[in-house]
Amino acid sequence: YVYSQKTLGNFWGFVSGWSYFIGTIAGNAIILHAFGSLVKKMGFTLPFAHSTSPLFAQLIFDVFFLVIFTVLNLLNTTVLEKMHVGFTILKTIPFGLVLIAMFFLFDIKNITTATVKPFGLFESLPIVLFAYLGIEACCSITHQIKDGERNASRAMLISLAIIAATYAFIQFGLLGILGSQGTNPFFEIVPRLTSNPMLISGGNFLVKIAILSSYLGGFYGMYYANSWNLYAIAKEKNILFANTFTKLNKYHTPWTCILFQGILIVLLLFVSLHHDSSLMVMSGFGVVIAYILSVLTYFKAAPRGISNVLTGVLALAGSSA
């Protein structure tokens, strides 16, 4: 929002900030909905599942977790940091499992004989884009980061490099272990390492918890950062009830923005009970608008030069993909 507003003007700043805010809200609703759906697919029984329709049972379940994370978001960034450390530790369980399995099950033939599908690249691009949403959240909380003007960009670039390298290595390991035929790869590793039913059941249960925690961790971080986007727009008096949305609690957190965001997520979850695909379109469209406007801001603000132009062109291509 700030980038576009300072360089392109108030109108485009508002378009960028508001579209990103709504797009991220839709993304948060998708993550919560996917979390509830995954809980059911993994064999867990949702509360109220026997007393109401499955869709409303999941809605109640999603709202329950939304309330928990709303309360947590009203606290300071120290709590956010500790929660993320916990989620990250849980998320490393499947990765650790892959590393162990590579010593016993890795076969290079599984990679060399795998079927290559060049056009699969285009099918996977939207999934990849969605997987990396949230890296730019550091922009929203730069003022909360120590020496934020310098460290925020470092945090984003270093995190992006580490995550991309980790994804690539784990995917390489899974391909070498299972080949290209695995449908639920993380759940197929333990049965290949042991035939003990208790170890298989316990190992796959930990994998389930780790996968579920990754959904909650992604939701938690995006939920917190997005409230500051609304706060930034309100600070510039470019939205109704601006004075209300700029109120901070004792932890210097924009509590009215967090509550407003939570209400919108509930509404989106309710409206999209039968059409959850509409949330994906809303999320992608809103975020991409903000990305493209940020790139146009870069073209206008960056010093002229071949390297800067190339960077802008690549950014525009990535945003439009």
Side-chain angles (χ1 to χ4, degrees):
Y1 166 71
V2 172
Y3 301 152
S4 299
Q5 190 258 350
K6 297 293 184 184
T7 307
L8 303 178
N10 287 332
F11 174 77
W12 291 113
F14 176 81
V15 171
S16 177
W18 187 252
S19 65
Y20 184 88
F21 176 71
I22 296 299
T24 304
I25 283 178
N28 281 332
I30 292 171
I31 294 174
L32 263 187
H33 183 77
F35 172 73
S37 299
L38 193 60
V39 168
K40 289 192 298 183
K41 288 180 182 178
M42 288 183 173
F44 297 105
T45 302
L46 297 181
F48 308 105
H50 301 296
S51 58
T52 184
S53 70
L55 286 175
F56 273 98
Q58 182 172 337
L59 178 63
I60 295 170
F61 183 75
D62 294 342
V63 172
F64 171 75
F65 275 92
L66 176 63
V67 171
I68 291 176
F69 283 99
T70 297
V71 173
L72 290 172
N73 270 277
L74 293 173
L75 304 177
N76 55 28
T77 51
T78 302
V79 176
L80 177 71
E81 179 185 6
K82 291 179 179 178
M83 291 290 293
H84 266 300
V85 169
F87 285 131
T88 301
I89 292 173
L90 286 173
K91 285 191 289 186
T92 59
I93 292 174
F95 293 168
L97 189 61
V98 173
L99 290 175
I100 293 171
M102 286 179 71
F103 286 102
F104 303 98
L105 303 173
F106 187 87
D107 188 347
I108 194 65
K109 291 181 180 178
N110 288 332
I111 297 175
T112 57
T113 59
T115 303
V116 178
K117 298 178 180 179
F119 291 102
L121 172 67
F122 300 101
E123 297 175 6
S124 61
L125 275 176
I127 300 173
V128 173
L129 174 64
F130 192 79
Y132 284 101
L133 288 181
I135 294 291
E136 76 286 348
C138 287
C139 296
S140 306
I141 56 172
T142 301
H143 60 289
Q144 299 275 44
I145 299 173
K146 184 178 180 181
D147 195 8
E149 289 189 7
R150 181 178 63 177
N151 290 331
S153 58
R154 290 181 177 180
M156 283 185 282
L157 294 173
I158 293 172
S159 297
L160 184 62
I162 292 174
I163 292 170
T166 302
Y167 282 174
F169 180 76
I170 295 302
Q171 188 63 45
F172 176 78
L174 285 171
L175 190 60
I177 295 168
L178 303 172
S180 57
Q181 305 304 316
T183 53
N184 295 293
F186 289 116
F187 296 111
E188 296 179 23
I189 294 176
V190 178
R192 296 190 181 215
L193 290 172
T194 179
S195 58
N196 187 305
M198 291 186 63
L199 289 177
I200 293 174
S201 177
N204 281 344
F205 178 78
L206 286 176
V207 172
K208 288 180 180 179
I209 297 300
I211 293 174
L212 290 173
S213 72
S214 68
Y215 280 79
L216 294 181
F219 172 81
Y220 188 30
M222 290 172 66
Y223 190 33
Y224 180 84
N226 200 36
S227 61
W228 288 106
N229 292 317
L230 180 59
Y231 177 83
I233 298 174
K235 283 283 286 185
E236 298 292 329
K237 309 295 183 183
N238 283 333
I239 193 173
L240 294 175
F241 309 110
N243 292 333
T244 300
F245 288 125
T246 54
K247 291 182 178 179
L248 301 175
N249 63 12
K250 64 179 181 179
Y251 298 110
H252 300 286
T253 298
W255 64 275
T256 52
C257 296
I258 292 173
L259 295 179
F260 179 67
Q261 185 181 189
I263 292 170
L264 290 181
I265 291 175
V266 172
L267 290 174
L268 286 180
L269 285 171
F270 183 79
V271 170
S272 63
L273 278 177
H274 300 280
H275 307 283
D276 55 346
S277 60
S278 59
L279 291 179
M280 297 182 185
V281 176
M282 185 184 296
S283 177
F285 190 66
V287 172
V288 165
I289 287 175
Y291 283 176
I292 291 175
L293 286 172
S294 293
V295 176
L296 295 178
T297 297
Y298 173 83
F299 274 121
K300 186 172 182 179
R304 293 290 177 262
I306 296 177
S307 62
N308 288 337
V309 171
L310 179 61
T311 298
V313 170
L314 290 174
L316 189 60
S319 301
S320 306

